[in-house]
Amino acid sequence: MIDFTKKINILPRWIIASLDGSILFGSAVFAFFLRVNFDWSSMESFDVFRGAMVYLLTGLTAMFFTKSYVGIVRHTGLKDGMLLLKTIAISGISIGILNFFLANVMDGRHILPFSVMIIASVLSLFLLIIYRLLVKDIFRKIKGTTKNLPERRVLIYGAGEAGSLTHQAIEKDSQFRFFTLGYLDDDPSKKGKKINGKPVFGGLDQLDGLVAAFGIKELIIAILDLHPSRKREIIDQCIALDVHALTIPPVNQWVGGGIHSGAIREVHIEDLLGRDSISLKNERVTEYISGKAVLVTGAAGSIGSELCIQIARANPSFLIMLDRAESPLHDHEIRLCHQFEGLMVHTVLGDVTEEKTLDKIFREYMPEVIFHAAAYKHVPMMEKYPTEAIKCNVMGTKLLADLAVHFGVEKFVLVSTDKAVNPTNVMGASKRLAEMYVQSLDADLGHPNGQNTKFITTRFGNVLGSNGSVIPLFKEQIKNGGPLTVTDPLVTRFFMTIPEACELVLEAAVMGNGGEIFVFDMGDPIKIIDLAKKMIYLSGKKLDTDIKIRFTGLRQGEKLYEEVLNEEEKALKTHHEKIKIAQVNPGYYEKVNSGILELQHLLEKESEMTLVAQMKKMVPEYLSKVSRFEVLDKQKLVK
């Protein structure tokens, strides 16, 4: 079918002005007739033509100043209506002033009686708005019928302002012909009412009936402050009913104060965290970081790069970024310098295990705060290469911490993991050893008069979207048509977003007085199988029909579930309800240090089994799972 809308050009402004002028003139004439109740004999007492011409000329003059004829008629909105109201008001006031002048100065009669002016103003305003809306509606209908657009029948969840704007946005869509059936809303007082001519059916309990009755295939979630647990309930209901869920962007992403149809997006898995998204927004962080020289290790990684961005916002005197990954570090430097013009930044391509590199950084830049995010983190990989885990995660941390003390760094923040709690793998045990060292070192220093380096640790769970995490893996597998690989149907994990993780680390730098291990309330753990199912659904695919899930078995060293505290640890409250301090015995520095020095000695000559045995000796709760090192636990039991 031919799309006639492509042949319709925007009308010249003079044509719009002529149409508006015709309405003004006709309204004035009709107002005279209405004034005399259509009594033709009474019309002789009025100069109708002169009065209508005066109303026309004053109206056109007002239009010239308000530019009410400039807008595109088929895109008429509230602002255009207000502009027309302003035009008519200016015209009416002008005629009122003219009448006053004629009656009191020229001793003549009113050129346009007050009653006629009121009638003409109301009528002309009504007609000017109505004809614009009619053109808009006709154009939309012609556009919908001439284009062979696919139809999408939708419900909007949220009968508030955001829901109303969403309806208006999709009505203008040029790629689909949307038919909005109505609204759903949690507020029972809105049930039975109408918004934009569409009914509010009620709450979520109405969804199944509406799907069955009208064949609805899509639901747009248009509530900006919807609780994540409620959003998860809506998504679960949509999954059960085979309804595709979409959502609107945050209000700070609206263009020109409204929503456009292209901004309506798929629901992201990050939207479905089973708790409130935690945002600290602590001004003390900015106050503390501002003007300080800050070193971030692992600066090109998922956590490190976001830390650098948040630190850059706080206006440090100098930001030093250390990483061994050349290309990611180079790319991150370019992005950061582009985003923060004037930021004093220096990138160092090096390793936290290289003493010469670290010594040079401390002597040249004298960092005052260190965020140590550099680490090997992949459990199966570190199970294969325990020597590398010990070199980076343990020895690298010890070297950096010792230099921090030597050069008088204010604070040293260690980024740790929940896998350090009751570790079942080399990676978790190596991070626990790093925790033990910095905590015992802090206790040994004692901080006389508040001096010396304060060592602080943060623990959190899996980070959504981080390099090598399950979310990017599932996305790639979905892109390739599946299957999605899940290790075990019972495996669960705690999740948080990258910005949340980094805010916790920065908050720890401010809150910490030395020796603390900060843990994060991450809500309930999420089953990975449920995560996989939701990601398949959110991608618009169907489980088992389009994408299958395959179970591969637990990998080396992998747990079924993670913990943030072990049985002997208790948690103290802080000023923030979501952040707690784990009460962990710091241990004796001499004992921990000698154990790590023994590890360092074993690195040079002994086997991996001997190395891991030493780790198990230092971390008694370390019990291997699905690993070749389980034999060491059995030997311990025999003894």
Side-chain angles (χ1 to χ4, degrees), residues 186-210:
D186 291 330
D187 185 353
S189 66
K190 294 180 180 178
K191 185 176 181 179
K193 296 182 179 179
K194 287 191 174 185
I195 298 176
N196 295 319
K198 304 295 182 180
V200 180
F201 293 104
L204 188 62
D205 58 321
Q206 301 293 315
L207 181 58
D208 55 347
L210 293 169

PDB file of all heavy atoms in Angstrom, residues 186-210:
ATOM      1  N   ASP A 186      -0.951  -0.668  40.897  1.00  0.00           N
ATOM      2  CA  ASP A 186      -1.086  -1.233  42.239  1.00  0.00           C
ATOM      3  C   ASP A 186      -2.026  -0.419  43.116  1.00  0.00           C
ATOM      4  O   ASP A 186      -2.460  -0.903  44.167  1.00  0.00           O
ATOM      5  CB  ASP A 186       0.288  -1.316  42.915  1.00  0.00           C
ATOM      6  CG  ASP A 186       1.186  -2.361  42.272  1.00  0.00           C
ATOM      7  OD1 ASP A 186       0.646  -3.354  41.761  1.00  0.00           O
ATOM      8  OD2 ASP A 186       2.420  -2.184  42.283  1.00  0.00           O
ATOM      9  N   ASP A 187      -2.336   0.813  42.730  1.00  0.00           N
ATOM     10  CA  ASP A 187      -3.217   1.679  43.523  1.00  0.00           C
ATOM     11  C   ASP A 187      -4.675   1.328  43.230  1.00  0.00           C
ATOM     12  O   ASP A 187      -5.171   1.591  42.127  1.00  0.00           O
ATOM     13  CB  ASP A 187      -2.940   3.143  43.169  1.00  0.00           C
ATOM     14  CG  ASP A 187      -3.730   4.111  44.049  1.00  0.00           C
ATOM     15  OD1 ASP A 187      -4.573   3.644  44.833  1.00  0.00           O
ATOM     16  OD2 ASP A 187      -3.492   5.330  43.949  1.00  0.00           O
ATOM     17  N   PRO A 188      -5.384   0.747  44.194  1.00  0.00           N
ATOM     18  CA  PRO A 188      -6.788   0.333  43.939  1.00  0.00           C
ATOM     19  C   PRO A 188      -7.721   1.505  43.658  1.00  0.00           C
ATOM     20  O   PRO A 188      -8.766   1.335  43.026  1.00  0.00           O
ATOM     21  CB  PRO A 188      -7.187  -0.393  45.229  1.00  0.00           C
ATOM     22  CG  PRO A 188      -6.239   0.098  46.275  1.00  0.00           C
ATOM     23  CD  PRO A 188      -4.959   0.406  45.563  1.00  0.00           C
ATOM     24  N   SER A 189      -7.352   2.721  44.107  1.00  0.00           N
ATOM     25  CA  SER A 189      -8.226   3.881  43.890  1.00  0.00           C
ATOM     26  C   SER A 189      -8.282   4.294  42.419  1.00  0.00           C
ATOM     27  O   SER A 189      -9.177   5.026  42.005  1.00  0.00           O
ATOM     28  CB  SER A 189      -7.746   5.067  44.739  1.00  0.00           C
ATOM     29  OG  SER A 189      -6.472   5.511  44.306  1.00  0.00           O
ATOM     30  N   LYS A 190      -7.319   3.837  41.616  1.00  0.00           N
ATOM     31  CA  LYS A 190      -7.302   4.193  40.194  1.00  0.00           C
ATOM     32  C   LYS A 190      -8.132   3.237  39.338  1.00  0.00           C
ATOM     33  O   LYS A 190      -8.375   3.523  38.160  1.00  0.00           O
ATOM     34  CB  LYS A 190      -5.860   4.219  39.680  1.00  0.00           C
ATOM     35  CG  LYS A 190      -5.005   5.323  40.302  1.00  0.00           C
ATOM     36  CD  LYS A 190      -3.583   5.299  39.752  1.00  0.00           C
ATOM     37  CE  LYS A 190      -2.737   6.406  40.380  1.00  0.00           C
ATOM     38  NZ  LYS A 190      -1.347   6.374  39.898  1.00  0.00           N
ATOM     39  N   LYS A 191      -8.522   2.108  39.905  1.00  0.00           N
ATOM     40  CA  LYS A 191      -9.258   1.110  39.140  1.00  0.00           C
ATOM     41  C   LYS A 191     -10.589   1.687  38.638  1.00  0.00           C
ATOM     42  O   LYS A 191     -11.317   2.343  39.375  1.00  0.00           O
ATOM     43  CB  LYS A 191      -9.522  -0.121  40.002  1.00  0.00           C
ATOM     44  CG  LYS A 191     -10.192  -1.260  39.248  1.00  0.00           C
ATOM     45  CD  LYS A 191     -10.348  -2.491  40.130  1.00  0.00           C
ATOM     46  CE  LYS A 191     -11.003  -3.641  39.359  1.00  0.00           C
ATOM     47  NZ  LYS A 191     -11.142  -4.858  40.190  1.00  0.00           N
ATOM     48  N   GLY A 192     -10.884   1.451  37.367  1.00  0.00           N
ATOM     49  CA  GLY A 192     -12.129   1.927  36.771  1.00  0.00           C
ATOM     50  C   GLY A 192     -12.030   3.313  36.165  1.00  0.00           C
ATOM     51  O   GLY A 192     -12.939   3.734  35.440  1.00  0.00           O
ATOM     52  N   LYS A 193     -10.948   4.031  36.417  1.00  0.00           N
ATOM     53  CA  LYS A 193     -10.783   5.357  35.846  1.00  0.00           C
ATOM     54  C   LYS A 193     -10.119   5.260  34.476  1.00  0.00           C
ATOM     55  O   LYS A 193      -9.685   4.183  34.065  1.00  0.00           O
ATOM     56  CB  LYS A 193      -9.966   6.237  36.788  1.00  0.00           C
ATOM     57  CG  LYS A 193     -10.688   6.487  38.128  1.00  0.00           C
ATOM     58  CD  LYS A 193      -9.891   7.384  39.031  1.00  0.00           C
ATOM     59  CE  LYS A 193     -10.660   7.631  40.340  1.00  0.00           C
ATOM     60  NZ  LYS A 193      -9.907   8.484  41.289  1.00  0.00           N
ATOM     61  N   LYS A 194     -10.042   6.389  33.789  1.00  0.00           N
ATOM     62  CA  LYS A 194      -9.447   6.400  32.451  1.00  0.00           C
ATOM     63  C   LYS A 194      -8.320   7.422  32.373  1.00  0.00           C
ATOM     64  O   LYS A 194      -8.393   8.489  32.972  1.00  0.00           O
ATOM     65  CB  LYS A 194     -10.503   6.707  31.387  1.00  0.00           C
ATOM     66  CG  LYS A 194     -11.459   5.553  31.134  1.00  0.00           C
ATOM     67  CD  LYS A 194     -12.314   5.801  29.899  1.00  0.00           C
ATOM     68  CE  LYS A 194     -13.172   4.581  29.574  1.00  0.00           C
ATOM     69  NZ  LYS A 194     -13.930   4.751  28.319  1.00  0.00           N
ATOM     70  N   ILE A 195      -7.289   7.066  31.617  1.00  0.00           N
ATOM     71  CA  ILE A 195      -6.160   7.954  31.353  1.00  0.00           C
ATOM     72  C   ILE A 195      -5.917   7.933  29.845  1.00  0.00           C
ATOM     73  O   ILE A 195      -5.785   6.857  29.251  1.00  0.00           O
ATOM     74  CB  ILE A 195      -4.891   7.502  32.099  1.00  0.00           C
ATOM     75  CG1 ILE A 195      -5.130   7.539  33.612  1.00  0.00           C
ATOM     76  CG2 ILE A 195      -3.702   8.381  31.735  1.00  0.00           C
ATOM     77  CD1 ILE A 195      -3.981   7.015  34.426  1.00  0.00           C
ATOM     78  N   ASN A 196      -5.901   9.101  29.234  1.00  0.00           N
ATOM     79  CA  ASN A 196      -5.764   9.197  27.774  1.00  0.00           C
ATOM     80  C   ASN A 196      -6.836   8.372  27.062  1.00  0.00           C
ATOM     81  O   ASN A 196      -6.602   7.809  25.987  1.00  0.00           O
ATOM     82  CB  ASN A 196      -4.376   8.734  27.326  1.00  0.00           C
ATOM     83  CG  ASN A 196      -3.264   9.632  27.823  1.00  0.00           C
ATOM     84  OD1 ASN A 196      -3.405  10.848  27.817  1.00  0.00           O
ATOM     85  ND2 ASN A 196      -2.165   9.044  28.272  1.00  0.00           N
ATOM     86  N   GLY A 197      -8.008   8.285  27.683  1.00  0.00           N
ATOM     87  CA  GLY A 197      -9.111   7.536  27.091  1.00  0.00           C
ATOM     88  C   GLY A 197      -9.003   6.033  27.259  1.00  0.00           C
ATOM     89  O   GLY A 197      -9.854   5.286  26.757  1.00  0.00           O
ATOM     90  N   LYS A 198      -8.000   5.554  27.985  1.00  0.00           N
ATOM     91  CA  LYS A 198      -7.801   4.121  28.177  1.00  0.00           C
ATOM     92  C   LYS A 198      -8.098   3.751  29.629  1.00  0.00           C
ATOM     93  O   LYS A 198      -7.708   4.470  30.551  1.00  0.00           O
ATOM     94  CB  LYS A 198      -6.365   3.717  27.827  1.00  0.00           C
ATOM     95  CG  LYS A 198      -5.947   4.103  26.412  1.00  0.00           C
ATOM     96  CD  LYS A 198      -6.749   3.350  25.362  1.00  0.00           C
ATOM     97  CE  LYS A 198      -6.284   3.715  23.960  1.00  0.00           C
ATOM     98  NZ  LYS A 198      -7.037   3.004  22.910  1.00  0.00           N
ATOM     99  N   PRO A 199      -8.766   2.612  29.867  1.00  0.00           N
ATOM    100  CA  PRO A 199      -9.174   2.251  31.230  1.00  0.00           C
ATOM    101  C   PRO A 199      -8.033   1.719  32.087  1.00  0.00           C
ATOM    102  O   PRO A 199      -7.065   1.148  31.583  1.00  0.00           O
ATOM    103  CB  PRO A 199     -10.216   1.150  30.984  1.00  0.00           C
ATOM    104  CG  PRO A 199      -9.794   0.532  29.698  1.00  0.00           C
ATOM    105  CD  PRO A 199      -9.236   1.640  28.864  1.00  0.00           C
ATOM    106  N   VAL A 200      -8.163   1.917  33.390  1.00  0.00           N
ATOM    107  CA  VAL A 200      -7.277   1.296  34.370  1.00  0.00           C
ATOM    108  C   VAL A 200      -8.003   0.056  34.891  1.00  0.00           C
ATOM    109  O   VAL A 200      -9.019   0.165  35.565  1.00  0.00           O
ATOM    110  CB  VAL A 200      -6.938   2.257  35.522  1.00  0.00           C
ATOM    111  CG1 VAL A 200      -6.000   1.572  36.519  1.00  0.00           C
ATOM    112  CG2 VAL A 200      -6.305   3.537  34.996  1.00  0.00           C
ATOM    113  N   PHE A 201      -7.476  -1.128  34.575  1.00  0.00           N
ATOM    114  CA  PHE A 201      -8.176  -2.374  34.879  1.00  0.00           C
ATOM    115  C   PHE A 201      -8.016  -2.826  36.323  1.00  0.00           C
ATOM    116  O   PHE A 201      -8.844  -3.566  36.843  1.00  0.00           O
ATOM    117  CB  PHE A 201      -7.676  -3.497  33.957  1.00  0.00           C
ATOM    118  CG  PHE A 201      -8.037  -3.294  32.520  1.00  0.00           C
ATOM    119  CD1 PHE A 201      -7.091  -2.876  31.606  1.00  0.00           C
ATOM    120  CD2 PHE A 201      -9.338  -3.494  32.087  1.00  0.00           C
ATOM    121  CE1 PHE A 201      -7.420  -2.680  30.275  1.00  0.00           C
ATOM    122  CE2 PHE A 201      -9.689  -3.299  30.757  1.00  0.00           C
ATOM    123  CZ  PHE A 201      -8.732  -2.893  29.850  1.00  0.00           C
ATOM    124  N   GLY A 202      -6.952  -2.406  36.967  1.00  0.00           N
ATOM    125  CA  GLY A 202      -6.683  -2.865  38.328  1.00  0.00           C
ATOM    126  C   GLY A 202      -5.228  -3.238  38.485  1.00  0.00           C
ATOM    127  O   GLY A 202      -4.351  -2.674  37.827  1.00  0.00           O
ATOM    128  N   GLY A 203      -4.967  -4.223  39.362  1.00  0.00           N
ATOM    129  CA  GLY A 203      -3.595  -4.612  39.654  1.00  0.00           C
ATOM    130  C   GLY A 203      -3.114  -5.779  38.813  1.00  0.00           C
ATOM    131  O   GLY A 203      -3.734  -6.176  37.820  1.00  0.00           O
ATOM    132  N   LEU A 204      -2.015  -6.384  39.266  1.00  0.00           N
ATOM    133  CA  LEU A 204      -1.376  -7.471  38.535  1.00  0.00           C
ATOM    134  C   LEU A 204      -2.273  -8.694  38.412  1.00  0.00           C
ATOM    135  O   LEU A 204      -2.149  -9.472  37.463  1.00  0.00           O
ATOM    136  CB  LEU A 204      -0.061  -7.852  39.232  1.00  0.00           C
ATOM    137  CG  LEU A 204       0.857  -8.843  38.524  1.00  0.00           C
ATOM    138  CD1 LEU A 204       1.329  -8.286  37.177  1.00  0.00           C
ATOM    139  CD2 LEU A 204       2.052  -9.192  39.401  1.00  0.00           C
ATOM    140  N   ASP A 205      -3.201  -8.851  39.358  1.00  0.00           N
ATOM    141  CA  ASP A 205      -4.099 -10.019  39.324  1.00  0.00           C
ATOM    142  C   ASP A 205      -5.013 -10.016  38.100  1.00  0.00           C
ATOM    143  O   ASP A 205      -5.607 -11.052  37.772  1.00  0.00           O
ATOM    144  CB  ASP A 205      -4.932 -10.062  40.604  1.00  0.00           C
ATOM    145  CG  ASP A 205      -5.759  -8.797  40.808  1.00  0.00           C
ATOM    146  OD1 ASP A 205      -5.253  -7.697  40.519  1.00  0.00           O
ATOM    147  OD2 ASP A 205      -6.912  -8.898  41.239  1.00  0.00           O
ATOM    148  N   GLN A 206      -5.114  -8.874  37.411  1.00  0.00           N
ATOM    149  CA  GLN A 206      -5.981  -8.795  36.225  1.00  0.00           C
ATOM    150  C   GLN A 206      -5.256  -9.240  34.949  1.00  0.00           C
ATOM    151  O   GLN A 206      -5.889  -9.416  33.908  1.00  0.00           O
ATOM    152  CB  GLN A 206      -6.459  -7.347  36.027  1.00  0.00           C
ATOM    153  CG  GLN A 206      -7.241  -6.773  37.199  1.00  0.00           C
ATOM    154  CD  GLN A 206      -8.569  -7.480  37.382  1.00  0.00           C
ATOM    155  OE1 GLN A 206      -9.296  -7.720  36.425  1.00  0.00           O
ATOM    156  NE2 GLN A 206      -8.890  -7.820  38.625  1.00  0.00           N
ATOM    157  N   LEU A 207      -3.930  -9.415  35.048  1.00  0.00           N
ATOM    158  CA  LEU A 207      -3.148  -9.643  33.839  1.00  0.00           C
ATOM    159  C   LEU A 207      -3.535 -10.927  33.115  1.00  0.00           C
ATOM    160  O   LEU A 207      -3.709 -10.930  31.890  1.00  0.00           O
ATOM    161  CB  LEU A 207      -1.653  -9.665  34.177  1.00  0.00           C
ATOM    162  CG  LEU A 207      -0.687  -9.863  32.999  1.00  0.00           C
ATOM    163  CD1 LEU A 207      -0.876  -8.767  31.960  1.00  0.00           C
ATOM    164  CD2 LEU A 207       0.761  -9.882  33.484  1.00  0.00           C
ATOM    165  N   ASP A 208      -3.686 -12.033  33.849  1.00  0.00           N
ATOM    166  CA  ASP A 208      -3.981 -13.310  33.178  1.00  0.00           C
ATOM    167  C   ASP A 208      -5.297 -13.266  32.428  1.00  0.00           C
ATOM    168  O   ASP A 208      -5.426 -13.785  31.314  1.00  0.00           O
ATOM    169  CB  ASP A 208      -3.947 -14.470  34.173  1.00  0.00           C
ATOM    170  CG  ASP A 208      -4.872 -14.252  35.359  1.00  0.00           C
ATOM    171  OD1 ASP A 208      -5.342 -13.112  35.541  1.00  0.00           O
ATOM    172  OD2 ASP A 208      -5.112 -15.228  36.106  1.00  0.00           O
ATOM    173  N   GLY A 209      -6.324 -12.624  33.015  1.00  0.00           N
ATOM    174  CA  GLY A 209      -7.622 -12.517  32.355  1.00  0.00           C
ATOM    175  C   GLY A 209      -7.555 -11.662  31.101  1.00  0.00           C
ATOM    176  O   GLY A 209      -8.170 -11.988  30.075  1.00  0.00           O
ATOM    177  N   LEU A 210      -6.810 -10.564  31.159  1.00  0.00           N
ATOM    178  CA  LEU A 210      -6.683  -9.681  30.008  1.00  0.00           C
ATOM    179  C   LEU A 210      -5.897 -10.344  28.882  1.00  0.00           C
ATOM    180  O   LEU A 210      -6.208 -10.160  27.703  1.00  0.00           O
ATOM    181  CB  LEU A 210      -5.993  -8.376  30.431  1.00  0.00           C
ATOM    182  CG  LEU A 210      -6.792  -7.473  31.386  1.00  0.00           C
ATOM    183  CD1 LEU A 210      -5.917  -6.368  31.954  1.00  0.00           C
ATOM    184  CD2 LEU A 210      -8.000  -6.883  30.669  1.00  0.00           C
TER     185      LEU A 210
END
